[in-house]
Amino acid sequence: MAVPLTKLDKETRGLKFFPLFTVTGWVLIGFSILVQALVLSPTGAAYWGGNPKAARDAAASGSELLGQLAALAWWPRLLDPLTFLGVAAFMVGIALLFSAIPGILERRTGGLKKAIALMSGR
């Protein structure tokens, strides 16, 4: 049997989902940073730092140099949208958290009004 949600439960439902969005955002951003540090940096150093320009320009089809160049061209095309998605998910999580604040404050204000009325004897 489904229990009907109160107004506060409806307003604070975002509190259940904000950790999911924020953690997902951090995971996507962290994945992007790790791939850039562990894949792109060594590959770029090996491609540009370890080979003269003449060797890079004269690389034969299927060589390791062209494989490195392909990796340097492909990974950023994947990581840029993932990083953007991670930032967006993180921002949605923060927005869900902030959207619950008015409902919580309204409930606490109601409780405070009742407490003041009891303290003042009205």
Side-chain angles (χ1 to χ4, degrees):
M1 181 169 154
V3 177
L5 295 174
T6 65
K7 181 179 177 188
L8 181 66
D9 290 336
K10 289 178 184 175
E11 290 176 354
T12 59
R13 191 180 304 181
L15 289 176
K16 295 178 184 175
F17 296 111
F18 97 89
L20 174 72
F21 282 99
T22 54
V23 169
T24 301
W26 279 113
V27 166
L28 290 173
I29 294 168
F31 174 75
S32 177
I33 291 170
L34 283 176
V35 168
Q36 289 176 10
L38 300 177
V39 174
L40 290 177
S41 294
T43 304
Y47 180 74
W48 284 297
N51 301 301
K53 178 154 177 24
R56 292 190 313 256
D57 289 343
S61 178
S63 68
E64 181 182 346
L65 285 176
L66 289 182
Q68 291 173 342
L69 182 61
L72 290 171
W74 181 78
W75 275 105
R77 288 183 178 210
L78 173 73
L79 294 178
D80 289 344
L82 281 180
T83 304
F84 183 79
L85 184 64
V87 171
F90 182 72
M91 298 296 262
V92 166
I94 290 174
L96 286 172
L97 179 63
F98 285 157
S99 70
I101 291 174
I104 294 170
L105 288 177
E106 184 180 327
R107 180 178 178 194
R108 290 187 179 183
T109 303
L112 183 61
K113 286 178 182 178
K114 289 179 185 176
I116 289 176
L118 289 175
M119 288 188 290
S120 66
R122 292 186 192 176

